[in-house]
Amino acid sequence: MATPKRPYIVPVFIPHAGCPHRCAFCNQTAITLSAMSLPSVQRIRERIDRHLAYPRDPDRPVEIAFFGGNFLGLDPPAIGSLLSEAGRYVETGKVGAIRFSTRPETVTARRLDRIHGLGVGTIEIGAQSMNDQVLAAAGRGHTADHTRKAVAHLKQRGYETGLQMMVGLPGQSPEDAMDTGRQLAALEPDLVRIYPTVVLRGSRLAHWYATGRYRPMSLADSVSLVKSLYTMFCDHGIAVTRMGLQGSEAFEASGDIVCGPYHPAFGHLVHAERFLDMAVKTLEGHDIQAGAVTLAVNPRNLSRLRGQNNANVRQLKERFGIDRLTIKTNPSLPADLVSVVG
Ligand code: SF4
């Protein structure tokens, strides 16, 4: 059976909208590079029309996504206006469904009643951690129990459910992040996003960093931890649809990133480390005597096996004393396999 194609997302940013909180790590304006108010109907329309005009795979479903704020925390008239605008595209068949992200405590039966039948297919919850102490330290203003209840509400109503978590939060150990991952997996979401904590200008975290109260994770530690979480979610059959903040040249040039494990290709780094692990395991099982070794991988994963700027190739050569390491592609190999040729 063919795997369903991942939707083509038309993102509509509603930075910080509907959110009375200020999480320690948040500077939502920096992330979305937009003003902190709801975009006008006209601007939403222009944005959607522009995205729909881009050439794309016609078989890929299209979804409009409201991100960057607390959707169900908006005033009911604002929710109604955004959904009716997006809903016009659903009615005409140009778009398949609408999705949004929201805080856990806003997912209530009353609010879900209001959006019933308005074209929403997926709701993503910003869980971030399942440790109440970590949530409190980050100033989240909700508990793990809010997340459990929110997921139960969404599942009861048949929504596709997404959960977002963070690593490297203040007071959060790697073991604690793994524990959060396991607790989220036990809720059986349809998809998960994992974000490393990055220190953004203007956030409380930036102040804590400046005064020595907070130290971000290194990029290498963050990549390894997210790799373990990715593997754990995959073992539970849960799709991980994003690892790392959405990178953009404008975001990087803005000077809003103070420090922390930001990388424009964070997800690629995670996959490269996974494929390095696989290659090491494969090579350890072989008696390497010749100075030349050839590995094979599915073409989809060639760049992952090579690693960023061929870093994996260099590491493997050094570790196993290989003079010449060649990598071949073989479309008949399973996606997650590295084998030795010959
Ligand atoms: S919930 Fe936190 S991260 Fe999300 S918009 Fe509000 S303050 Fe920012």
Side-chain angles (χ1 to χ4, degrees):
M1 199 174 72
T3 1
K5 295 202 170 175
R6 276 172 71 172
Y8 173 84
I9 300 287
V10 178
V12 179
F13 293 111
I14 53 165
H16 213 85
C19 184
H21 295 271
R22 202 74 204 270
C23 302
F25 50 81
C26 179
N27 176 354
Q28 201 50 256
T29 315
I31 292 177
T32 56
L33 290 170
S34 318
M36 266 167 68
S37 57
L38 274 184
S40 67
V41 164
Q42 185 57 29
R43 280 194 62 193
I44 292 176
R45 233 174 254 173
E46 282 167 11
R47 186 174 181 91
I48 297 173
D49 289 340
R50 195 172 66 242
H51 272 268
L52 292 180
Y54 293 151
R56 61 175 190 278
D57 176 353
D59 295 334
R60 226 173 136 191
V62 181
E63 295 189 6
I64 294 174
F66 293 103
F67 279 141
N70 179 25
F71 195 86
L72 288 177
L74 290 166
D75 293 340
I79 293 178
S81 142
L82 291 176
L83 289 185
S84 86
E85 193 50 40
R88 291 180 338 121
Y89 291 86
V90 178
E91 276 162 27
T92 57
K94 288 182 180 162
V95 165
I98 302 165
R99 59 199 294 149
F100 60 76
S101 56
T102 198
R103 287 172 52 90
E105 81 282 9
T106 60
V107 183
T108 61
R110 193 162 51 94
R111 289 191 175 102
L112 291 176
D113 283 346
R114 285 200 201 114
I115 65 163
H116 179 73
L118 297 181
V120 177
T122 306
I123 298 182
E124 296 192 31
I125 299 166
Q128 316 315 2
S129 168
M130 291 300 273
N131 178 326
D132 285 345
Q133 282 177 345
V134 171
L135 289 170
R140 285 288 296 169
H142 67 83
T143 63
D145 207 41
H146 285 114
T147 298
R148 285 186 208 101
K149 287 187 178 133
V151 173
H153 276 306
L154 297 185
K155 286 189 164 274
Q156 202 182 23
R157 291 174 188 237
Y159 285 107
E160 185 179 61
T161 303
L163 288 172
Q164 302 170 357
M165 70 167 286
M166 293 177 71
V167 300
L169 286 168
Q172 183 197 47
S173 65
E175 296 70 35
D176 186 80
M178 285 305 297
D179 185 59
T180 281
R182 283 188 286 271
Q183 290 197 50
L184 295 185
L187 297 176
E188 300 181 356
D190 298 286
L191 63 102
V192 164
R193 294 177 196 258
I194 312 172
Y195 296 105
T197 305
V198 171
V199 180
L200 295 177
R201 188 173 58 166
S203 65
R204 261 183 299 147
L205 210 54
H207 177 65
W208 294 351
Y209 170 69
T211 54
R213 184 174 155 187
Y214 174 75
R215 270 188 55 206
M217 280 186 101
S218 69
L219 180 62
D221 287 350
S222 192
V223 165
S224 293
L225 177 55
V226 174
K227 177 191 70 180
S228 302
L229 285 161
Y230 176 92
T231 307
M232 188 272 301
F233 284 122
C234 289
D235 289 347
H236 283 80
I238 298 165
V240 178
T241 54
R242 169 153 283 281
M243 295 181 281
L245 289 176
Q246 182 80 49
S248 78
E249 282 177 18
F251 181 38
E252 286 157 34
S254 68
D256 283 320
I257 306 167
V258 176
C259 62
Y262 171 79
H263 191 286
F266 189 92
H268 177 72
L269 296 184
V270 174
H271 286 299
E273 194 167 302
R274 287 178 54 234
F275 276 80
L276 177 64
D277 291 352
M278 284 180 225
V280 166
K281 220 167 155 191
T282 303
L283 289 170
E284 278 174 350
H286 270 79
D287 186 16
I288 303 167
Q289 288 182 350
V293 172
T294 302
L295 292 175
V297 68
N298 187 290
R300 272 173 45 195
N301 289 318
L302 176 63
S303 66
R304 291 173 171 177
L305 179 55
R306 287 196 169 281
Q308 188 85 347
N309 302 322
N310 279 328
N312 287 355
V313 174
R314 283 194 296 278
Q315 276 205 52
L316 289 168
K317 282 169 83 173
E318 197 175 315
R319 178 163 177 167
F320 292 94
I322 301 167
D323 295 327
R324 197 151 46 83
L325 178 63
T326 309
I327 300 181
K328 289 192 166 163
T329 57
N330 178 349
S332 64
L333 283 179
D336 273 2
L337 185 86
V338 176
S339 68
V340 176
V341 180

